[in-house]
């Protein structure tokens, strides 16, 4: 396991482990060059010396690196650092489809189809680049918290142009593997389609179609047994969806969908016509008609003798499982499609199966459907043509425009003139009681109307008019009320013989209760008694304190920053909370505070380490020295050297006696081999000189002396 804080490639910081798979561990990391969080897959130490596994790991990166698609977990980088082989991928917060199925028991038809469309779209993106996934299964399908479905883990993917024979190392998980994979035969895009069909089967029923006590048993079932129709367990499954699943899972690849494009077309059509009979199975390829494949003795032996091992490196554990919040809610509504309404399509229990309908009857029904479609098309054409006037003639309906009138310009008219002008257009008049001063219009003439001139209104609408009082309008300038306290601004406007209207808004620059702006603006000349609109500050917009307990310190700071808040971290030891994780926060989550507020929180330093003073074990024999160190909670690294001290006796220790070290640290003990009786240089390792600094990691850095480390 890689420690937090370690950098790979001088760029990617390890923030913590989030999962583990068959070949690799997955860590959450930060790309400091691009300032983003990523997932870092690191090959396990057991396989770093195995060239086959290293090549497989590199091949995964190469296969996925060229895939940049919304329905694929994107690969950003691959590298090696200090013997660690790593791959940098898109970090997806969410839940695996496997966990989602287990959580819900089984999915609805609508949800199954919606997820399948996104899944197959991702697979299609790989196939378009001539890459076969070979391990499609719910564990390798991720549903993000935003509802986006992504295909991941191209660990056994291979280009379709490869001519290598299929071996055990490239087989997918047995419950989802195609018959040709189980047989060790040729694998192409249709193998992924088979696995996708098994995945759809599991979504709609809640379980895989074939199971057994061993991988061999399951593989044989894929080869020899007929799949049970989903409708036997889910009676209300749409007919089209069942046909799609059964076509995907045909044992003969020739009878499956030839490519993902065909499959996607049927899935999308199933959303709008769930009970339609449009899935083309073709002759011998009719759903349910595929013959059982009888395996030869050689083929069975080949599976039993290594083609499918129970110890397969590709287990069903998803690399990201530990990163997903099991408590996160992923409701059916995340995948709703407005075109799919189960209620509109009736009760599936009452639908008839199309294969039971007489062929002649089906022909008649199709003819009737065509005739009905033609009639509907003509009706739509007529309605559209009538709307735009193509078919307009005597006796046809009038348009909305013919029931409306345009308000004339009434300004300058007397009340009687305005009344006649409006009445002639089929409109009424309403004269406002309050008259207004005007420098432009004489007493009794119209100053303005509502609606104003040029606006279209329905017939018989009353138009309000305001008449001139005949007085000259007095003007004034809007005083500088911006930045003034609300009450002061009101008084200044009243003194200027202006009326006040008020609104409010948040402001980070203007104190609460003070004027942010006014309309008309400061200094503008306006009529007296006109209205000036003030915008009053509500102060800084409040921010809601996020819940950061349980987050890493970097995630906590990011969450606070996104909320417009600052963070102040303190550290303390904890036996229950992992180092680097937030233990508590001073301000409760959900509380509203001003933006820019500093939120104090406490970060765990992990368990407090016990400090031990190194005991003096010089002049002891090796066994006694090791036992003494073990009693103190320390371990010994034994080194041997010719010395004048008696053979078998400790003549030197490092760190020296009395040095303060952490519990569990390693102490070097040097055992005398007795005096050197040879006359030539031996080149043996010498005890390190005491420099006054402590190297507590037990690393041999002084020579090639024999290290026989003894661990407690």
């Amino acid at each position: 396991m890689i420690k937090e804080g370690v950098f790979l490639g001088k760029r990617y910081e390890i923030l913590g482990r989030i999962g583990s798979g068959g070949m690799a561990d997955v860590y959450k990391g930060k790309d400091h060059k691009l300032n983003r969080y990523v997932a870092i897959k690191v090959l396990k130490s057991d396989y770093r010396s195995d060239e086959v596994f290293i090549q497989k790991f590199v091949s995964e990166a190469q296969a996925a690196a060229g895939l940049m698609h919304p329905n694929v977990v994107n690969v950003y980088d691959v590298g090696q650092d200090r013997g660690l082989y790593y791959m940098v991928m898109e970090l997806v917060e969410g839940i695996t489809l496997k966990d989602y199925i287990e959580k819900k028991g089984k999915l609805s038809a609508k949800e199954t189809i919606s997820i399948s469309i996104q899944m197959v779209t991702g697979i299609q993106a790989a196939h378009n680049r001539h890459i076969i996934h070979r391990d499609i299964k719910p564990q390798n399908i991720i549903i993000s918290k935003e509802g986006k479905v992504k295909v991941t883990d191209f660990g056994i993917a291979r280009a379709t142009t490869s001519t290598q024979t299929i071996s055990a190392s490239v087989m997918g998980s047995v419950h989802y593997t195609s018959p040709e994979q189980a047989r060790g035969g040729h694998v192409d895009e249709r193998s992924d389609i088979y696995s996708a069909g098994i995945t759809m089967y599991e979504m709609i029923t809640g379980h895989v179609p074939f199971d057994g006590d061993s991988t061999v048993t399951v593989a044989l079932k894929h080869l020899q047994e007929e799949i049970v129709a989903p409708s036997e367990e889910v009676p209300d499954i749409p007919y089209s969806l069942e046909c799609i699943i059964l076509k995907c899972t045909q044992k003969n690849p020739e009878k499956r969908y030839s490519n993902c494009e065909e499959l996607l077309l049927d899935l999308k059509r199933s959303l709008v016509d769930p009970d339609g009979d449009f899935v083309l199975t073709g002759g011998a390829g009719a759903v349910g008609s595929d013959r059982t494949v009888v395996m030869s003795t050689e083929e069975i032996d080949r599976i039993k003798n290594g083609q499918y091992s129970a110890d397969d490196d590709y287990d069903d554990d998803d690399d990201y499982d530990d990163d997903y919040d099991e408590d996160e809610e992923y409701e059916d509504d995340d995948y709703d499609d407005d075109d799919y309404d189960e209620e509109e399509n009736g009760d599936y229990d009452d639908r008839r199966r199309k294969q039971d309908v007489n062929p002649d009857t089906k022909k008649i029904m199709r003819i009737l459907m065509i005739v009905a479609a033609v009639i509907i098309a003509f009706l739509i054409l007529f309605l559209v043509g009538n709307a735009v006037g193509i078919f307009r003639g005597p006796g046809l309906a009038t348009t909305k425009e013919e029931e409306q009138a345009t308000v004339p310009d009434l300004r300058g008219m007397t009340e009687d003139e305005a009344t006649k002008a409006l009445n002639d257009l089929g409109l009424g008049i309403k004269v406002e009681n309050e008259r207004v001063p005007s420098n432009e219009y004489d007493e009794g003439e119209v100053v303005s109307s509502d609606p104003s001139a040029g606006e279209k209104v329905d017939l018989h609408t009353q138009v309000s008019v305001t008449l001139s009082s005949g007085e000259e309008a007095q003007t004034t300038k809007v005083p500088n009320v911006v930045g003034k306290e609300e009450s002061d601004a009101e008084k200044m406007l009243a003194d200027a013989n202006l009326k006040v209207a008020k609104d409010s808004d948040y402001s980070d620059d203007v104190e609460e209760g003070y004027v942010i702006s006014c309309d008309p603006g400061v200094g503008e000349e306006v009529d007296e008694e006109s209205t000036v609109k003030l915008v009053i500050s509500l102060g800084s917009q409040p921010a809601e304190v996020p819940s950061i307990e349980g987050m890493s310190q970097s995630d906590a700071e990011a969450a606070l920053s996104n909320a417009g808040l600052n963070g102040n971290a303190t550290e303390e030891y904890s036996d229950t909370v992992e180092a680097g994780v937030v233990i508590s926060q001073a301000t409760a989550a959900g509380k509203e505070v001003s933006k820019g507020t500093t939120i104090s929180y406490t970060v765990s330093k992990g368990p407090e380490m016990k400090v031990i003073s190194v005991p003096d074990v010089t002049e002891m024999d090796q066994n006694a020295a090791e036992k003494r160190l073990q009693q103190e909670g320390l371990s010994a690294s034994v080194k041997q050297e010719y010395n004048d001290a008696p053979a078998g006796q400790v003549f030197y220790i490092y760190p020296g006696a009395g040095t303060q070290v952490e519990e569990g640290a390693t102490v070097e003990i040097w055992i005398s081999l007795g005096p050197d009786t040879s006359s030539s240089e031996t080149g043996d390792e010498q005890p390190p000189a005491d420099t006054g600094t402590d190297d507590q990691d037990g690393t041999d850095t002084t020579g090639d002396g024999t290290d026989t480390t003894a661990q407690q």
Side-chain angles (χ1 to χ4, degrees), residues 410-419 429-438 441-449 464-471:
L410 305 174
R411 291 174 297 178
M413 294 184 183
T414 64
E415 180 179 344
D416 291 340
E417 291 171 340
T419 301
I429 188 171
K430 178 185 178 183
V431 180
E432 298 293 338
N433 293 327
E434 186 177 355
R435 297 191 176 193
V436 298
S438 176
Y441 301 107
D442 295 335
E443 182 179 4
E445 292 181 346
V446 177
V447 176
S448 63
S449 67
S464 297
V465 296
T466 302
L467 303 179
S468 170
S469 64
E471 303 172 357

Side-chain angles (χ1 to χ4, degrees), residues 500-511:
V500 178
K502 291 186 285 187
D503 199 356
S504 59
D505 198 3
Y506 293 105
S507 174
D508 294 331
D509 303 318
V510 180
E511 186 180 349

Side-chain angles (χ1 to χ4, degrees), residues 161-178:
T161 54
S162 173
T163 56
Q164 288 181 292
T165 304
I166 309 303
S167 65
S169 64
V170 296
M171 295 184 67
S173 301
V174 66
H175 290 92
Y176 308 90
T177 193
S178 64

Side-chain angles (χ1 to χ4, degrees), residues 1-2 17 20-27 41-51 53-54 57 81-86:
M1 183 174 173
I2 306 176
R17 192 171 76 163
S20 182
M23 295 194 311
D25 294 318
V26 181
Y27 299 85
K41 181 182 278 189
V42 182
L43 191 64
K44 288 185 175 181
S45 58
D46 298 344
Y47 307 122
R48 292 172 195 163
S49 60
D50 192 325
E51 292 296 330
F53 276 92
I54 292 174
F57 187 79
D81 189 358
R82 291 165 287 180
L84 300 174
Y85 293 87
Y86 65 89

Side-chain angles (χ1 to χ4, degrees), residues 253-267:
E254 298 296 328
K255 297 176 181 178
R256 300 173 201 157
Y257 290 96
S258 59
N259 53 60
C260 288
E261 184 178 2
E262 294 178 1
L263 175 55
L264 280 172
L265 287 173
D266 279 358
L267 284 169

Side-chain angles (χ1 to χ4, degrees), residues 434 476 478-479 493-494 496-503 518-521 524-534:
E434 186 177 355
T476 185
V478 178
L493 291 173
N497 201 23
L498 295 171
K499 298 178 181 178
V500 178
K502 291 186 285 187
D503 199 356
C518 65
D519 184 28
E524 289 191 29
E525 190 165 316
V526 296
D527 292 340
E528 291 185 358
E529 297 296 326
S530 61
T531 300
V532 177
K533 184 178 181 180
L534 301 178

Side-chain angles (χ1 to χ4, degrees), residues 125 233 268 274 288 302 427 487 507 547 561 604 619 632 638 708 710:
E233 297 188 41
K268 292 176 181 179
R302 196 164 63 179
L427 302 174
S487 58
S507 174
S547 176
S561 178
S604 172
E619 298 184 1
E632 296 295 330
V638 180
T708 57

Side-chain angles (χ1 to χ4, degrees), residues 233-546:
E233 297 188 41
V234 187
D236 62 347
I237 181 175
Y239 177 66
S240 61
L241 177 57
E242 182 174 57
C243 290
I244 291 170
I245 293 173
L246 294 178
K247 184 173 180 178
C248 288
T249 56
Q250 292 289 299
K251 299 190 185 302
N252 185 350
E254 298 296 328
K255 297 176 181 178
R256 300 173 201 157
Y257 290 96
S258 59
N259 53 60
C260 288
E261 184 178 2
E262 294 178 1
L263 175 55
L264 280 172
L265 287 173
D266 279 358
L267 284 169
K268 292 176 181 179
R269 187 170 178 182
S270 182
L271 282 173
V272 297
D273 187 15
D275 216 25
D277 187 15
F278 53 81
V279 178
L280 302 177
T281 55
V287 173
S289 67
D290 193 24
R291 67 180 178 84
T292 300
V293 179
V294 180
M295 297 178 62
S296 67
T297 304
E298 292 181 359
E299 289 175 321
I300 294 175
D301 290 340
R302 196 164 63 179
I303 292 176
K304 291 181 177 179
N305 294 330
Q307 287 289 338
Y308 233 110
S309 170
D311 298 326
D312 189 355
D313 294 320
Y314 298 94
D315 56 31
D316 285 349
D317 293 332
D318 189 272
D319 289 344
Y320 297 91
D321 282 348
D322 294 341
D323 189 39
Y324 303 136
D325 186 358
E326 297 280 351
D327 296 328
E328 186 73 23
E329 292 295 329
Y330 295 84
E331 301 295 339
D332 292 356
D333 292 342
D334 293 340
Y335 310 98
D336 282 349
D337 192 301
D338 294 337
D339 292 327
Y340 187 99
D341 191 334
E342 294 183 358
E343 294 181 1
E344 291 181 1
N345 287 284
D347 188 352
Y348 293 129
D349 289 334
D350 297 332
R351 76 191 189 287
R352 56 186 177 83
R353 295 293 182 185
K354 271 61 178 184
Q355 66 266 35
D356 295 332
V357 179
N358 185 285
D360 293 335
T361 303
K362 292 175 72 174
K363 290 181 180 179
I364 295 172
M365 291 175 63
R366 287 173 179 166
I367 292 172
L368 292 174
M369 290 176 64
I370 293 171
V371 172
V374 171
I375 293 173
I376 292 171
F378 274 114
L379 180 60
I380 294 173
L381 180 62
F382 175 79
L383 293 174
V384 172
N386 187 47
V388 299
I390 296 176
F391 304 120
R392 182 167 299 169
L396 294 179
T398 59
T399 66
K400 179 67 176 177
E401 291 182 357
E402 295 175 336
E403 299 176 352
Q404 291 185 321
T406 301
V407 177
D409 189 354
L410 305 174
R411 291 174 297 178
M413 294 184 183
T414 64
E415 180 179 344
D416 291 340
E417 291 171 340
T419 301
K420 184 176 185 305
L422 292 171
N423 290 341
D424 288 344
L425 295 174
L427 302 174
I429 188 171
K430 178 185 178 183
V431 180
E432 298 293 338
N433 293 327
E434 186 177 355
R435 297 191 176 193
V436 298
S438 176
N439 296 329
E440 186 175 356
Y441 301 107
D442 295 335
E443 182 179 4
E445 292 181 346
V446 177
V447 176
S448 63
S449 67
D450 184 23
S452 57
E455 291 189 36
K456 288 185 177 294
V457 295
D458 292 339
L459 295 178
H460 313 298
T461 298
Q462 276 195 331
V463 178
S464 297
V465 296
T466 302
L467 303 179
S468 170
S469 64
E471 303 172 357
E472 287 191 4
Q474 301 297 315
T475 61
T476 185
K477 289 185 178 180
V478 178
N480 187 5
V481 293
V482 175
K484 304 294 184 181
E485 193 172 5
E486 181 179 355
S487 58
D488 293 340
E490 289 180 354
K491 186 177 184 304
M492 293 172 66
L493 291 173
D495 292 343
N497 201 23
L498 295 171
K499 298 178 181 178
V500 178
K502 291 186 285 187
D503 199 356
S504 59
D505 198 3
Y506 293 105
S507 174
D508 294 331
D509 303 318
V510 180
E511 186 180 349
E512 183 180 0
Y514 286 73
V515 178
I516 300 173
S517 64
C518 65
D519 184 28
V522 173
E524 289 191 29
E525 190 165 316
V526 296
D527 292 340
E528 291 185 358
E529 297 296 326
S530 61
T531 300
V532 177
K533 184 178 181 180
L534 301 178
V535 179
I536 310 300
S537 174
L538 296 173
S540 296
Q541 187 172 2
E544 185 175 313
V545 180

